[in-house]
Amino acid sequence: MIDWGQVFSNAAVELISPTTAAYALAALGLAIHFGYTGLLNFGQAGFMALGAYGYAISILTFGFPVWGAVLVGIGASVIFALILGVPTLRLRADYLAIVTIAAAEIVRLLFTTNTFVAVTGSANGLSEYKDGFRALNPLHFEGTAGFGPWQHSADDWWVIIVSWTVVALACLFTWSLMRSPWGRVLKGIREDEDAVRALGKNVYSYKMQSLILGGVFGTLAGMIFIMPRAVIPAHYATSLTFFIYAILLLGGAATILGPVVGSMLFWVLLSFFSGFVARAVEVGWLPISQVQGGQLRFILVGVAIMLIVIFRPQGLLGNKKELAFVK
Amino acid sequence: MSSNATPSSKPVKSVDLHVGDAAPGCKKNDPILIADGVRRTFGGLTAVDVDHVEIPRGAITALIGPNGAGKTTFFNLLTGFDKPDAGSWTFDGTSLAHVPAYRVARMGLIRTFQLTKSLALLSVMDNMKLGATGQTGENMFRALLPVLWRKQDQEIEARAVELLTRFKLDAKRNDYAASLSGGQRKLLEMARALMSEPTLVMLDEPMAGVNPALTQSLLDHILGLKEQGMTVLFVEHDMHMVRHIADWVIVMAEGRVVAEGDPHTVMQNPAVIDAYLGQHHDSDLGSSDADNVEAMKELLDDDK
């Protein structure tokens, strides 16, 4: 028989996992780009890769402290946003999408190539960069602690606390910006940038600010993402950007908490289906192999997302009224 | 139809705007905008080729001409939305060549668009507030501290309410702009342009697609701008509107200014009749030519 308790508790673990927080933060960055400013950035994986590698390389190759490594990552993503934005933000939205997707791939391939293997670790990636972060941990206990299904070691709790604190601060920051006149200009640009230009706003500068801010959120997400795992270049393929878009649309594109709720739902569903399929294969309910089962969970998540998008197209937290006017 | 609408009170026409004969490119007593040698080509087509034109201050000037005369392109060039191949133009004595569109707007030259650009998924009030210039809270870092911008935002809101009331849109202030009718969107766009307290308002076909019930109030609003000391330049095909509210008419055809004058005498000008009727006299009259014939008839009727 299937151990349903185990399936559900494994799914519940994902609710507050650092990976969920990382995806939520990256999706919040996309909400700024796409939801509020209308910039079709398909290169969020590139910003995340810069955060991950910026942090890991600073520590491993240059021996920077944690705060220095974080600043290097942020600096790298600001420069990346400027390089990306200067030629492309004057283009129409769909051209920006093509350029960003290519730029993110260039970043990933640069980290994969053997030429820089001493620094980037090539396809094997990087590890052993976590000591500095762990040394900051004020929690000290042996074994695991927690409540219900959430039983973690002191180091894991430290990652969870820091990552969700960053997500909460980012949400607060975005919320206070979006209710301000600055946010009003961004939303105006999303609707019609020529109209906003005719009202005396420097549209190009606002788009650049939006690209940098959302990119920095993606970079911070990249740093959170590597805390429970190693830095592997294959993680930063285009599919990562698409998962983050799925999360954003699931939660609601122009919302603050939508990305958080979307990310939680996405990971809980993924973990639930993965546990369910694996056990269903074990007990012989499904006539497929374990490997096939691993693919099936993405199919099931895809179906779940399709159902939500079809029956609740504004996303879980989106405003239904907005859809009344979408052509 | 819309062309039968008249302003509710007889407009006071500005006179004595020009120096010497009312010829194309004639000097004005007090020009606000002067364009010299502005030329724009698209491949082999010369869309705009204006040698010299002056827009009189404090008056309502209409820019008319048959379809494809280059009126909207000229508008785009003057406001920085398009770059000319050659030419210079000054606004209030300041050169505007190579100045980006948003800076032109900040100098007090505000335009509207032929196809209305209301910001659909912003509320009517947010549309209005966006029109105000010099907002402290539009800086990303200051935006984080509401203390710095809240007071200014309230002042802007009060001004927006006043304008919305004038344009009879105040009941709609919390609705999405997308929920407004086409005519209401034209009104909103005009009201939004006024939020920046411009000195020159350029309206690109303010009457296009407006329901007849609203034309009346639109005409009154345009006359109201002049009363408040603003200069208005508008492109329009509705000849009755031109006749009723314009103080000065500039006629463009095939990219050039072919005639200028007050609305009643300019239509006697053979160049204007040529522009509207003569350019395709040896070919079939298409529908746009039929429109032009109609427009000319209206104009000539008026002088009887």
Side-chain angles (χ1 to χ4, degrees):
Chain A
M1 250 337 270
I2 291 182
D3 181 357
W4 286 104
Q6 191 63 42
V7 173
F8 280 114
S9 82
N10 281 350
V13 167
E14 290 298 331
L15 204 59
I16 60 161
S17 81
T19 310
T20 307
Y23 276 60
L25 190 55
L28 185 64
L30 270 193
I32 296 172
H33 289 158
F34 175 69
Y36 288 105
T37 324
L39 297 174
L40 213 47
N41 169 24
F42 273 107
Q44 194 69 337
F47 284 104
M48 291 179 76
L50 285 172
Y53 278 95
Y55 183 85
I57 292 174
S58 303
I59 286 182
L60 292 175
T61 308
F62 301 105
F64 282 14
V66 171
W67 60 267
V70 171
L71 287 183
V72 167
I74 290 174
S77 83
V78 171
I79 293 167
F80 184 59
L82 288 171
I83 294 172
L84 211 55
V86 167
T88 57
L89 286 181
R90 295 181 199 278
L91 301 176
R92 247 175 42 207
D94 30 6
Y95 290 96
L96 182 71
I98 294 166
V99 174
T100 48
I101 213 169
E105 282 295 274
I106 290 171
V107 167
R108 181 175 70 87
L109 293 171
L110 280 178
F111 286 130
T112 315
T113 177
N114 269 324
T115 316
F116 312 117
V117 66
V119 178
T120 62
S122 184
N124 292 326
L126 299 166
S127 55
E128 310 301 327
Y129 46 80
K130 293 173 192 165
D131 292 345
F133 181 74
R134 283 179 184 158
L136 299 173
N137 188 358
L139 304 171
H140 295 289
F141 54 83
E142 290 298 314
T144 61
F147 48 94
W150 297 283
Q151 301 289 341
H152 298 291
S153 70
D155 282 337
D156 289 349
W157 274 117
W158 176 230
V159 175
I160 289 171
I161 290 166
V162 170
S163 48
W164 284 102
T165 308
V166 173
V167 171
L169 288 176
C171 286
L172 198 67
F173 187 79
T174 314
W175 171 78
S176 59
L177 277 179
M178 290 310 161
R179 69 181 178 140
S180 76
W182 187 82
R184 191 159 63 215
V185 178
L186 286 200
K187 288 179 239 173
I189 292 170
R190 175 189 69 198
E191 298 301 320
D192 192 322
E193 60 175 85
D194 273 345
V196 177
R197 202 170 275 133
L199 295 172
K201 320 290 178 201
N202 187 350
V203 168
Y204 183 68
S205 157
Y206 280 99
K207 281 161 90 172
M208 185 61 94
Q209 292 170 35
S210 163
L211 187 67
I212 291 174
L213 181 63
V216 166
F217 281 7
T219 300
L220 292 173
M223 295 179 199
I224 295 173
F225 185 66
I226 58 167
M227 285 307 155
R229 56 177 64 76
V231 179
I232 308 285
H235 283 156
Y236 305 97
T238 326
S239 56
L240 177 61
T241 302
F242 292 135
F243 283 141
I244 294 167
Y245 259 101
I247 285 169
L248 179 66
L249 299 179
L250 207 54
T255 59
I256 304 291
L257 292 177
V260 176
V261 173
S263 179
M264 287 177 167
L265 188 70
F266 177 85
W267 280 103
V268 167
L269 279 179
L270 196 64
S271 167
F272 172 79
F273 284 129
S274 137
F276 169 74
V277 170
R279 283 169 184 76
V281 171
E282 251 171 42
V283 297
W285 285 10
L286 295 170
I288 54 175
S289 72
Q290 282 291 2
V291 178
Q292 287 169 320
Q295 298 301 314
L296 186 61
R297 67 188 174 133
F298 283 107
I299 296 174
L300 291 175
V301 171
V303 170
I305 290 174
M306 280 162 75
L307 289 176
I308 291 172
V309 171
I310 290 166
F311 292 105
R312 204 175 162 79
Q314 73 274 33
L316 292 170
L317 301 184
N319 183 351
K320 181 103 207 204
K321 264 198 330 191
E322 288 182 5
L323 286 174
F325 305 112
V326 175
K327 284 140 279 187
Chain B
M1 269 314 290
S2 66
S3 51
N4 295 327
T6 52
S8 42
S9 59
K10 184 112 180 91
V12 184
K13 295 283 180 126
S14 304
V15 289
D16 284 339
L17 296 166
H18 62 292
V19 184
D21 287 338
C26 70
K27 284 188 87 63
K28 305 296 184 304
N29 280 324
D30 184 11
I32 189 168
L33 189 72
I34 305 169
D36 265 308
V38 175
R39 198 159 54 79
R40 177 75 168 105
T41 54
F42 297 103
L45 174 80
T46 304
V48 169
D49 188 2
V50 171
D51 290 333
H52 184 82
V53 73
E54 299 184 3
I55 310 295
R57 188 190 305 272
I60 300 178
T61 305
L63 185 59
I64 66 168
N67 291 331
K71 306 180 295 287
T72 296
T73 310
F74 190 49
F75 249 50
N76 287 343
L77 293 173
L78 292 181
T79 49
F81 277 83
D82 194 2
K83 289 184 173 51
D85 303 323
S88 64
W89 61 108
T90 60
F91 170 65
D92 246 349
T94 322
S95 171
L96 285 189
H98 310 296
V99 175
Y102 75 93
R103 288 233 185 92
V104 172
R106 284 183 195 170
M107 288 176 182
L109 197 169
I110 296 276
R111 71 169 295 181
T112 65
F113 293 86
Q114 186 172 356
L115 299 170
T116 323
K117 291 187 185 294
S118 59
L119 306 166
L121 293 185
L122 257 58
S123 70
V124 168
M125 181 50 85
D126 277 349
N127 263 273
M128 292 295 288
K129 283 175 163 183
L130 203 54
T133 48
Q135 296 189 46
T136 320
E138 287 185 353
N139 174 293
M140 186 172 165
F141 299 105
R142 282 182 234 139
L144 289 168
L145 297 169
V147 241
L148 297 177
W149 49 263
R150 186 151 290 152
K151 190 164 167 292
Q152 189 192 29
D153 208 51
Q154 282 159 356
E155 287 163 12
I156 290 168
E157 183 155 341
R159 197 143 53 83
V161 170
E162 196 184 307
L163 271 170
L164 285 176
T165 314
R166 178 136 59 93
F167 282 77
K168 298 200 173 58
L169 287 169
D170 47 326
K172 294 262 182 193
R173 70 168 90 158
N174 294 322
D175 294 359
Y176 281 127
S179 70
L180 300 181
S181 73
Q184 286 172 323
R185 283 183 216 183
K186 286 264 179 201
L187 286 174
L188 173 61
E189 201 184 10
M190 201 188 289
R192 190 176 65 194
L194 298 184
M195 282 298 288
S196 66
E197 296 171 331
T199 42
L200 172 57
V201 185
M202 296 178 53
L203 307 169
D204 198 348
E205 300 205 17
M207 293 299 171
V210 174
N211 137 16
L214 278 173
T215 12
Q216 174 86 59
S217 65
L218 258 170
L219 287 179
D220 287 338
H221 287 311
I222 294 173
L223 287 167
L225 301 183
K226 180 173 127 181
E227 270 161 35
Q228 290 167 41
M230 288 175 229
T231 306
V232 179
L233 174 65
F234 70 97
V235 169
E236 188 51 68
H237 283 294
D238 183 331
M239 293 301 171
H240 281 277
M241 173 185 170
V242 171
R243 194 174 62 210
H244 281 299
I245 68 168
D247 301 311
W248 191 255
V249 177
I250 297 172
V251 188
M252 280 181 80
E254 291 172 345
R256 300 173 158 278
V257 174
V258 294
E260 277 192 56
D262 69 75
H264 291 279
T265 53
V266 78
M267 295 308 161
Q268 314 295 340
N269 190 324
V272 179
I273 296 170
D274 257 12
Y276 273 93
L277 304 178
Q279 56 186 351
H280 299 302
H281 57 84
D282 52 352
S283 59
D284 277 347
L285 287 177
S287 63
S288 66
D289 286 324
D291 286 347
N292 292 339
V293 172
E294 186 67 21
M296 275 313 292
K297 276 184 183 159
E298 283 174 11
L299 283 162
L300 296 171
D301 284 351
D302 179 55
D303 288 325
K304 278 177 189 166

